């Protein structure tokens, strides 16, 4: 419609419904017109029929749509879970069809169909689209209904064709499957003398288990040599100089320092070894890691023209999904990275280790309670307690009581959570409708759940408990969830920090509280640089949209080295390491990594609040039921202050 015709339509609707509805009419008509296409028909006729003045009919429509979208989202989520069932879970070798099923997203058509069938335009005509600036400024004075209306309208802030959405889903599913099967059989890593530093049968997924093994090696007599080897492996993965033949292949041996590959002696091969070629092939992985990332970028870029409110994946990630401007997130990260507290904590770590720091000390875990307990002892404890995923599920009520929930609440929460053995490192999958159940996935090896799997399971349990509260107890299901992924990560960190206590180790006292603060600071510092690399990588791809996988590999290596040299080399003692590029999230979860340092900051603010208010159970429930509002609004409700690094920095200075 022409501007004149739209103006005439607005005047007509105001005359019909009254001057009190003028602002709603003008905004609603403009919102519809921005996304209306010629094939959608007569916009004026639609507006005359579907505009609803404030009153009972508008209220009833809101209620109907809220109920509908809970069911629609929930069932689509369940269909997606079924399609990915075998790629997500450790249920044996995959059928050739599984990757195709996992890449199909049944929800990709939903928004496009709702525009075509017109309910999407009904929402835009009657409920306000809001900007992040509007939500931030006006949100504190909004009613819960206003928050829910804003969430409802935000579903239709862009109109991306279904085939484009499907391409994005397919690219991400392919990347997830690639990462889920990226394992290294550690017994087949050899040093210059041909020695095997790791036990037979140890199969570690990149990057999660490699990192966690590195952390565990601080208590091992051969730990330093093992850590240096793992760092070399990680750097070869980032630079794609890792021989393709050694990935998930226990039938060859590999020296990651010289890159030599030899056929493994038959007696060294694990009984459960997968069928792989026993061939000493040194050909590098052909930039598969970066081909997967580029595929996700190219698919995402196709959606850009259809999203005028946030015309890049980067903008959508921060403005729409995260609810925090990229500039603010970057400022929080650099505040951590450049803190004068970093060299002071590093000096303390150096004094404990009795040696200069090295790149692996990026993941120093020695501040954690129980960190001096050998990993083998922890593995024996968790394997005995949790021989299967079901055993962990049965223990959830006890775990939750140990975290401060009442017996009644713990039993109720446990009844909603389902536990599965994961093919990958592990994850939590939420439910999106009342009547469905969130899933906890963690790796359970043949001999039972090792400590790495248990640690991940406790983290995922935090996600699941948040997911139960924020779906089943929120006042509007349109507000189910939390403001963004950083918040569910934060709540999961609160659980994970207590994993050793739940095993009867590392009971809190004044000394362990000091150590907890230093541990949180060091972890936040570590992951802040990783997040900067993820962000810079996406900016590089937008600046070089026609790049090849090889060019992207070189760019990620350079970005990783640049961030390393600026913030980490002065502390960890070696320049030009690409180590920050190792995180698998960069490949399989686009622009997810900034949520981790944000999650650490949020978790610390929550922990500081719990020290004053506690107990954990009741406060966790109060926070998690507030719903998906802006980050600062949620934090003010939870702790009385907006998202900030101040609490962590002040507490770290005090601890030092």
């Amino acid at each position: 419609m022409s501007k004149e015709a739209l103006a005439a339509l607005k005047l007509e609707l105001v005359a019909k419904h009254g001057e009190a509805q003028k602002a709603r009419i003008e905004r609603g008509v403009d919102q519809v017109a921005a996304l209306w296409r010629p094939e959608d028909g007569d916009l004026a006729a639609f507006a005359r029929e579907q505009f609803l003045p404030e009153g009972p009919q508008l209220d009833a429509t809101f209620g109907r749509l809220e109920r509908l979208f809970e069911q629609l989202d929930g069932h689509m989520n369940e269909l997606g879970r079924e399609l990915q069932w075998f790629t997500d879970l450790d249920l044996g070798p995959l059928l050739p069809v599984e990757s195709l099923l996992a890449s199909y997203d049944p929800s990709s058509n939903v928004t496009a169909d709702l525009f075509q069938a017109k309910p999407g335009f009904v929402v835009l005509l009657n409920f306000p689209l809001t900007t992040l600036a509007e939500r931030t400024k006006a949100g504190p004075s909004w009613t819960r209904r206003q928050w829910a209306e804003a969430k409802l309208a935000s579903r239709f802030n862009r109109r991306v064709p279904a085939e484009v959405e499907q391409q994005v889903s397919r690219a991400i599913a392919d990347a997830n499957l690639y990462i889920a099967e990226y394992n290294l059989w550690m017994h087949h890593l050899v040093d210059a003398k041909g020695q095997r530093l790791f036990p037979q049968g140890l199969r570690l997924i990149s990057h999660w288990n490699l990192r966690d093994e590195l952390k565990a090696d601080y208590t091992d007599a051969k730990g330093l040599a093992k850590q240096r080897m793992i760092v070399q492996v990680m750097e070869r993965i980032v630079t794609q100089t890792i021989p393709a033949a050694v990935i998930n292949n226990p039938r060859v041996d590999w020296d990651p320092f010289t890159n030599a590959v030899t056929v493994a002696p038959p007696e060294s091969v694990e009984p459960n070894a997968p069928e792989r070629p026993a061939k000493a092939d040194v050909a590098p992985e052909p930039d598969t890691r970066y081909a997967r990332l580029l595929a996700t970028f190219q698919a995402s870029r196709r959606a850009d023209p259809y999203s005028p409110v946030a015309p890049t994946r980067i903008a959508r990630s921060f403005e729409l999904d995260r609810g925090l401007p990229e500039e603010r997130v970057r400022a929080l990260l650099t505040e951590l990275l450049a803190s004068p507290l970093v060299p002071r904590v590093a000096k303390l770590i150096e004094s404990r280790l009795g040696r200069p720091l090295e790149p692996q000390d990026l993941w120093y875990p020695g501040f954690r309670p129980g960190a001096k307990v050998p990993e083998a002892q922890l593995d024996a404890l968790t394997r005995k307690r949790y021989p299967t995923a079901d055993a962990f599920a049965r223990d959830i009520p006890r775990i939750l009581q140990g975290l401060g929930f009442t017996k009644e609440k713990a039993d109720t929460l446990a009844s909603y959570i389902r536990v599965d053995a994961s093919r990958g490192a592990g994850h939590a999958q939420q439910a999106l409708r009342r009547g469905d159940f969130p899933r906890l996935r963690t790796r359970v090896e043949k001999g039972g759940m090792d400590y790495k799997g248990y640690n991940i399971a406790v983290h995922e349990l935090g996600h699941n408990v948040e997911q139960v509260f924020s779906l089943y107890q929120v006042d509007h299901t349109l507000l189910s969830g939390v403001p963004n992924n950083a918040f569910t990560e934060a709540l999961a960190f609160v659980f994970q920090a207590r994993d050793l206590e739940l095993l009867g180790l590392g009971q809190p006292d004044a000394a362990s509280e000091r150590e907890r603060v230093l541990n949180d600071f060091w972890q936040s510092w570590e992951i802040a640089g990783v997040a900067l690399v993820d962000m810079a990588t996406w900016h590089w791809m937008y600046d070089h949209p026609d790049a090849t996988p090889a060019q992207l590999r070189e760019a990620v290596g350079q970005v990783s080295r640049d961030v390393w040299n600026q913030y980490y080399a002065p502390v960890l003692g070696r320049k030009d390491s690409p180590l920050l590029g190792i995180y698998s999230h960069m490949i399989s979860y686009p622009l997810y990594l900034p949520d981790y340092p944000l999650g650490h900051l949020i978790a610390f603010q929550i922990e500081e609040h719990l020290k004053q208010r506690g107990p954990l159970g009741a406060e966790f429930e109060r926070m998690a039921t507030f719903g998906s509002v802006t980050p600062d609004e949620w934090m003010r409700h939870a702790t009385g202050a907006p998202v900030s690094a101040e609490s962590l920095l002040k507490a770290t200075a005090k601890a030092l």
Side-chain angles (χ1 to χ4, degrees):
M1 294 178 70
S2 67
K3 290 182 179 179
E4 294 77 15
L6 283 174
L9 174 61
K10 293 173 186 176
L11 289 173
E12 177 187 340
L13 292 174
V14 170
K16 178 179 179 181
H17 297 289
E19 193 69 23
Q21 303 301 311
K22 181 179 179 180
R24 288 187 61 244
I25 288 168
E26 291 185 342
R27 188 167 190 162
V29 169
D30 285 340
Q31 289 174 176
V32 170
L35 297 178
W36 194 271
R37 298 172 182 167
E39 61 267 26
D40 293 321
D42 187 340
L43 189 159
F46 172 81
R48 293 185 193 106
E49 180 181 348
Q50 293 293 339
F51 179 79
L52 300 170
E54 292 170 321
Q57 202 170 15
L58 180 66
D59 295 342
T61 300
F62 171 81
R64 177 74 177 91
L65 291 171
E66 181 168 44
R67 181 182 180 280
L68 168 71
F69 285 125
E70 178 191 351
Q71 297 302 313
L72 192 57
D73 292 343
H75 287 295
M76 286 296 173
N77 182 61
E78 291 164 61
L79 286 171
R81 186 171 66 217
E82 288 297 327
L83 287 161
Q84 296 172 6
W85 193 260
F86 286 89
T87 55
D88 279 352
L89 303 188
D90 188 10
L91 299 171
L94 292 171
L95 297 170
V97 74
E98 296 298 350
S99 62
L100 301 178
L101 293 173
S103 68
Y104 170 61
D105 180 3
S107 69
S108 62
N109 293 318
V110 169
T111 301
D113 288 347
L114 288 170
F115 273 117
Q116 187 174 359
K118 303 294 191 299
F121 286 119
V122 172
V123 171
L124 292 179
L125 185 62
N126 290 287
F127 302 101
L129 275 176
T130 56
T131 64
L132 177 57
E134 286 177 304
R135 292 190 295 276
T136 301
K137 182 178 180 180
S141 64
W142 281 359
T143 65
R144 297 290 288 176
R145 164 71 180 265
Q146 284 176 295
W147 276 111
E149 287 185 1
K151 198 72 174 180
L152 172 61
S154 71
R155 300 177 64 102
F156 300 101
N157 57 20
R158 55 194 185 273
R159 190 178 184 182
V160 181
E163 63 270 18
V164 174
E165 297 277 22
Q166 185 62 54
Q167 286 182 358
V168 175
S169 297
R170 185 180 302 118
I172 292 173
D174 289 346
N176 268 289
L177 182 57
Y178 164 74
I179 290 297
E181 298 201 307
Y182 205 109
N183 294 285
L184 291 166
W185 293 75
M186 303 300 285
H187 186 59
H188 299 279
L189 271 58
V190 296
D191 64 12
K193 298 178 181 179
Q195 297 180 104
R196 301 176 189 275
L197 303 183
F198 299 93
Q200 190 173 38
L202 184 62
R203 180 181 66 120
L204 301 182
I205 192 169
S206 177
H207 76 286
W208 295 274
N209 288 167
L210 288 173
R211 176 202 60 194
D212 292 344
E213 175 66 25
L214 188 154
K215 289 181 177 182
D217 289 334
Y218 280 94
T219 60
D220 191 313
K222 298 180 180 178
L224 189 57
K226 292 164 77 174
Q227 289 174 333
R228 289 169 177 166
M229 183 175 278
I230 290 173
V231 167
Q232 184 69 16
V233 170
M234 288 178 164
E235 291 186 348
R236 288 206 179 275
I237 291 171
V238 175
T239 60
Q240 292 285 263
T241 54
I242 181 172
V246 309
I247 301 168
N248 204 25
N249 188 358
R251 300 183 185 276
V252 294
D253 292 339
W254 174 43
D255 180 342
F257 294 97
T258 65
N259 231 14
V261 180
T262 56
V263 175
E267 66 273 13
S268 73
V269 178
E270 286 77 357
N272 63 330
E275 288 300 324
R276 296 285 189 274
K279 184 179 178 183
D281 188 349
V282 297
E285 185 181 13
D287 294 329
T288 311
R289 181 179 183 87
Y290 300 104
R292 291 285 181 267
L293 177 54
L294 265 183
T296 299
F297 164 70
Q298 296 293 3
S300 299
R301 195 162 69 99
R302 288 200 62 200
D304 292 351
Y306 305 100
S307 182
V309 294
T312 66
R313 178 102 194 194
I314 301 168
R316 294 192 288 277
S317 173
F318 287 95
E319 298 287 328
L320 303 185
D321 299 338
R322 200 166 276 119
L324 289 169
E326 183 183 6
E327 295 74 19
R328 183 172 172 203
V329 174
R330 190 183 304 279
L332 287 168
L333 299 182
T334 53
E335 185 178 6
L336 275 173
L337 290 166
S339 170
L341 299 172
V342 173
R344 295 178 61 192
V345 178
K347 186 176 180 180
L348 178 58
I349 295 172
E350 194 169 276
S351 70
R352 293 187 178 190
L353 293 175
R355 60 166 173 80
L357 298 190
E358 298 183 13
Q360 69 270 13
D361 299 316
L362 182 68
W363 292 293
Y364 174 75
F367 294 122
R368 293 189 67 224
K372 294 181 174 59
V373 181
E375 180 99 354
Q377 182 180 331
L378 294 173
D379 285 344
L381 182 59
T382 56
R383 283 176 177 141
K384 182 179 180 181
R385 185 172 291 188
Y386 306 118
T388 64
D390 285 342
F392 185 85
R394 290 193 295 272
D395 201 35
I396 287 176
R398 182 199 65 82
I399 291 172
L400 294 177
Q401 288 180 69
L403 289 167
F405 293 93
T406 65
K407 183 180 186 306
E408 181 182 10
K409 185 66 69 173
D411 289 341
T412 300
L413 288 166
S415 71
Y416 285 107
I417 298 167
R418 303 293 184 264
V419 182
D420 307 310
S422 175
R423 183 179 296 276
H427 61 274
Q429 189 173 85
Q430 68 188 116
L432 294 177
R433 69 171 183 88
R434 298 174 188 187
D436 188 26
F437 306 104
R439 317 292 301 202
L440 188 159
R441 273 80 182 266
T442 193
R443 181 169 282 202
V444 183
E445 298 288 2
K446 294 289 189 291
M449 186 186 294
D450 62 18
Y451 173 69
K452 295 180 186 69
Y454 164 77
N455 176 263
I456 290 171
V458 176
H459 178 92
E460 306 307 339
L461 181 60
H463 286 302
N464 291 143
V465 171
E466 173 269 302
Q467 290 160 358
V468 173
F469 281 138
S470 66
L471 173 63
Y472 280 87
Q473 291 186 211
V474 72
D475 51 353
H476 285 283
T477 55
L478 286 166
L479 294 175
S480 64
V482 288
N484 60 46
N485 288 324
F487 285 81
T488 189
E489 290 296 348
L491 292 169
F493 287 145
V494 170
F495 273 43
Q496 189 176 15
R498 292 160 172 79
D499 70 325
L500 291 173
E501 293 176 35
L502 297 168
L503 291 174
L505 304 170
Q507 295 302 315
D509 55 23
S512 66
E513 172 59 20
R514 174 178 177 268
E515 298 283 291
R516 179 188 72 82
V517 172
L518 296 173
N519 181 66
D520 286 352
F521 177 82
W522 197 252
Q523 282 190 312
S524 302
W525 175 73
E526 172 257 316
I527 199 65
V530 174
L532 281 186
V533 170
D534 195 19
M535 293 158 65
T537 296
W538 274 84
H539 279 284
W540 187 91
M541 289 190 291
Y542 269 101
D543 291 340
H544 303 83
D546 299 319
T548 65
Q551 290 170 329
L552 178 58
R553 175 200 2 112
E554 291 299 315
V556 171
Q558 189 60 53
V559 166
S560 300
R561 288 188 291 270
D562 288 346
V563 175
W564 180 272
N565 288 343
Q566 182 173 0
Y567 297 111
Y568 295 89
V571 178
L572 300 178
R574 176 158 73 85
K575 291 189 68 176
D576 294 327
S577 172
L579 197 56
L580 297 173
I582 188 57
Y583 272 66
S584 298
H585 304 76
M586 185 187 294
I587 310 304
S588 56
Y589 298 101
L591 281 168
Y592 189 96
L593 283 166
D595 289 324
Y596 279 109
L598 289 173
H600 279 298
L601 295 178
I602 295 163
F604 194 86
Q605 287 181 262
I606 290 171
E607 291 281 14
E608 292 294 282
H609 173 82
L610 290 174
K611 283 163 58 178
Q612 303 299 321
R613 292 289 298 273
L616 186 152
E619 283 298 289
F620 192 104
E621 181 176 357
R622 182 184 66 82
M623 295 175 188
T625 54
F626 195 58
S628 181
V629 296
T630 56
D632 287 337
E633 185 69 9
W634 195 97
M635 282 300 290
R636 278 189 285 266
H637 167 81
T639 69
V643 178
S644 168
E646 183 180 2
S647 292
L648 178 57
L649 296 175
K650 279 186 174 180
T652 303
K654 183 178 179 181
L656 286 167

